[in-house]
Amino acid sequence: MKRPITIPSAPSTPPPSPRTLRSKTTTLRSLSSKKPRNILTNPIPTTEQENPKWVPLNLSRSELYLPLTFPTGQTFRWKQTGPTQYTGVVGRSHLVSLKHLDNGDVGYYFHSTKDTGDARDALLDFLNVGISLTEVWEGFKASDTRFAELATHLGGARVLRQDPLECLIQFICSSNNNIKRITMMIDFVSSLGNYLGAVGGFKFYEFPSLERLAMVSEQDLRAAGFGYRAKYIVGTVEALKSKPGGGMEWLAALRKVDLPEAIVSLCSLPGVGPKVAACIALFSLDQHHAIPVDTHVWKIATRYLLPELAGTSLTPKLHNRVADAFVKTYGKYAGWAQTLLFIAELPSQKALLNSTEEKAPNSKKRKLELMKTVLSSSHHLRLDKMRLAGEHFG
C-alpha cells in the first residue's frame, strides 16, 4: 500500500496578452533564420516559487530515473529545468516539475493546477506507474544476458503514457528531422494553447485542442518553418475531425485494439508511416510491444538478436522480422526493452558502460563513483540525440 500523498500547489501565472498567429509565425521564422538564444545562459524570468515543497512520488530510482526517461526521444515537450529536474504538462493543464530527491526518490511539485486530485491522477497515468519496471526487467534479464548487464547500470528508463494527440503531432514533426528543429516546431504548436507559466527559462502551455489546431492553415505552418510537414499536420487534423465520434475518441480507441490494427489505422493518417506509427503506439496507445524500427534498432537487432543478417541493409520487408525478434525475446513489453537498448547505444552511455567494465563491480566506493558518473553524463544525452537525430528520425 502506498501512503496517501498531499499535493502542494502554486498559484497559476496569468496568461500574457493575446498574440496573433501571425506574430507567432514571425517569431519562429526569425528563430529559423537567426542564431537561437541560449536559454541556459540567458533565461527568461521564471514564475515558480524559489523553494517549492517537493512531494515524494514513492518511485525509487530503479522504477524511474528521469535523465534516462525524458531526454531520450519519447517526448519533445518536457524541458530540463535543473540538475535531474524536468518540467512539463500532464492532463493537458497541470504544469509539474519532477526531480530526484537526496534519497533517490522522485519528488514532484505542481506549479499550476486547478484540481490537485485530477493532477495527481494525470501524473501517475502519464508515468505508467501501474506497470512495475522492476518486475518487467526481471523477466528481460532472465531471457537475455545482454539486457541483464545493461540493466545493472541503466535502471529506471521508463516508457511514458502520453496523450495520443500530442504524441501523434510530435512524431509527424519528427519525420526526417533533427532534434533542434523538432523542438522548435513542437514549441510553436504548444504555444497555440493556453499559457500556464514559466519554469527554468521555458514557457509552458496546454497542448492545443483538435479544434484549435483546425484553425491553423498549411500556409501558417509553412510560414513558421514546418516545410512539407505542414500539409501532413493539416491533413491529419482534418482526418481526425471527420472521424465518427470525434478524433480524440478514435485515437483513444486504438488502445483497445491489436497492434497490427492500430498501426494500419495510424498509417491511414497523412504523414504517418510504419515507424512513426510504432512510436505513437508505444508511447501513447498502450501497445507495449510496438518496435519503432530505424537504422539504430536494426544495428542492435543484427548484433544481438539476428546475427545472421549482419552486414545486410534494412529494407521494409525486414521491419517485421526485426520487430518479431524483439517480441520473441522480450515478450509483451518488448518496446520497453528496445527503449533501454537504444539508450545504451548513445555515445555517453557507451562510454559509461565501458568504464565500469574495467573496474570492480562490488566496490562500495565504485558504486558511489558510478552514481556520480551517471548523473554527470545525463546532460550529454541531448547532445547524443542531436548527433543521432538525422539518422534516427530519418
Side-chain angles (χ1 to χ4, degrees):
M1 294 289 292
K2 293 184 178 180
R3 61 180 182 274
I5 297 176
T6 302
I7 301 177
S9 61
S12 59
T13 303
S17 58
R19 294 178 296 172
T20 64
L21 185 59
R22 183 182 302 275
S23 67
K24 291 178 179 177
T25 57
T26 301
T27 299
L28 190 61
R29 206 164 44 227
S30 66
L31 284 173
S32 302
S33 60
K34 297 179 181 180
K35 184 177 180 180
R37 171 177 60 86
N38 187 331
I39 55 178
L40 297 180
T41 58
N42 184 28
I44 58 176
T46 61
T47 57
E48 77 274 21
Q49 292 184 359
E50 292 184 1
N51 297 300
K53 182 179 178 182
W54 297 94
V55 179
L57 193 56
N58 300 324
L59 284 178
S60 66
R61 185 194 178 285
S62 62
E63 284 292 326
L64 174 62
Y65 187 51
L66 302 175
L68 293 180
T69 298
F70 285 105
T72 51
Q74 293 190 56
T75 176
F76 303 94
R77 295 195 71 212
W78 281 67
K79 311 295 185 182
Q80 185 169 2
T81 51
T84 68
Q85 176 180 319
Y86 296 83
T87 302
V89 181
V90 296
R92 289 197 170 272
S93 61
H94 310 298
L95 179 59
V96 60
S97 286
L98 298 173
K99 169 182 181 177
H100 281 286
L101 306 178
D102 291 340
N103 64 357
D105 192 2
V106 176
Y108 64 95
Y109 175 76
F110 283 106
H111 303 272
S112 173
T113 182
K114 296 178 181 179
D115 185 337
T116 55
D118 181 69
R120 174 185 179 276
D121 291 343
L123 177 60
L124 297 180
D125 181 77
F126 175 74
L127 293 175
N128 252 329
V129 297
I131 298 172
S132 170
L133 189 61
T134 302
E135 292 180 5
V136 170
W137 282 23
E138 285 302 317
F140 294 161
K141 289 188 286 186
S143 61
D144 180 13
T145 56
R146 168 65 176 167
F147 191 97
E149 175 188 357
L150 295 175
T152 302
H153 308 298
L154 299 177
R158 176 172 285 274
V159 170
L160 303 169
R161 189 176 194 257
Q162 301 179 55
D163 174 85
L165 179 61
E166 279 187 41
C167 196
L168 170 62
I169 298 300
Q170 288 184 84
F171 281 96
I172 289 178
C173 290
S174 77
S175 180
N176 294 307
N177 212 344
N178 60 66
I179 296 295
K180 179 179 176 182
R181 195 174 179 205
I182 297 168
T183 301
M184 289 174 62
M185 290 178 178
I186 299 305
D187 287 347
F188 172 80
V189 173
S190 298
S191 72
L192 302 176
N194 295 325
Y195 178 76
L196 296 176
V199 181
F202 298 93
K203 293 182 179 181
F204 293 90
Y205 302 82
E206 293 182 10
F207 196 80
S209 65
L210 195 57
E211 290 70 27
R212 178 67 184 92
L213 289 173
M215 298 171 62
V216 184
S217 68
E218 180 181 339
Q219 183 178 3
D220 293 328
L221 293 175
R222 285 187 176 275
F226 282 66
Y228 68 86
R229 299 168 197 83
K231 67 179 179 181
Y232 293 148
I233 292 175
V234 170
T236 288
V237 170
E238 291 177 351
L240 289 175
K241 284 183 65 64
S242 68
K243 297 294 183 184
M248 299 304 294
E249 291 77 6
W250 182 82
L251 285 171
L254 297 182
R255 288 175 167 169
K256 303 182 184 301
V257 303
D258 293 336
L259 177 58
E261 182 179 346
I263 296 295
V264 169
S265 296
L266 289 169
C267 286
S268 70
L269 300 173
V272 179
K275 186 184 70 177
V276 168
C279 289
I280 298 164
L282 175 61
F283 299 135
S284 71
L285 298 179
D286 299 337
Q287 303 287 351
H288 304 297
H289 61 296
I291 307 295
V293 180
D294 61 9
T295 55
H296 295 287
V297 174
W298 167 249
K299 291 176 182 178
I300 294 170
T302 56
R303 191 179 305 149
Y304 303 111
L305 303 178
L306 298 168
E308 67 274 18
L309 297 179
T312 62
S313 300
L314 176 63
T315 64
K317 186 177 180 179
L318 291 175
H319 277 229
N320 287 340
R321 187 170 176 183
V322 171
D324 289 343
F326 273 95
V327 174
K328 181 179 179 180
T329 302
Y330 300 109
K332 65 179 183 179
Y333 289 102
W336 291 53
Q338 175 267 326
T339 298
L340 177 124
L341 294 172
F342 173 75
I343 292 170
E345 292 298 307
L346 296 173
S348 62
Q349 301 308 313
K350 291 183 73 172
L352 170 64
L353 292 170
N354 290 337
S355 68
T356 59
E357 289 175 357
E358 299 173 355
K359 301 183 180 181
N362 295 322
S363 166
K364 183 177 180 180
K365 180 179 179 181
R366 176 61 199 140
K367 289 180 180 179
L368 291 175
E369 291 176 351
L370 175 60
M371 178 63 75
K372 292 178 181 178
T373 305
V374 171
L375 290 171
S376 65
S377 69
S378 64
H379 75 278
H380 293 297
L381 284 169
R382 181 173 296 177
L383 294 177
D384 291 338
K385 286 200 306 172
M386 292 180 72
R387 283 193 290 268
L388 294 173
E391 188 176 358
H392 180 54
F393 294 106

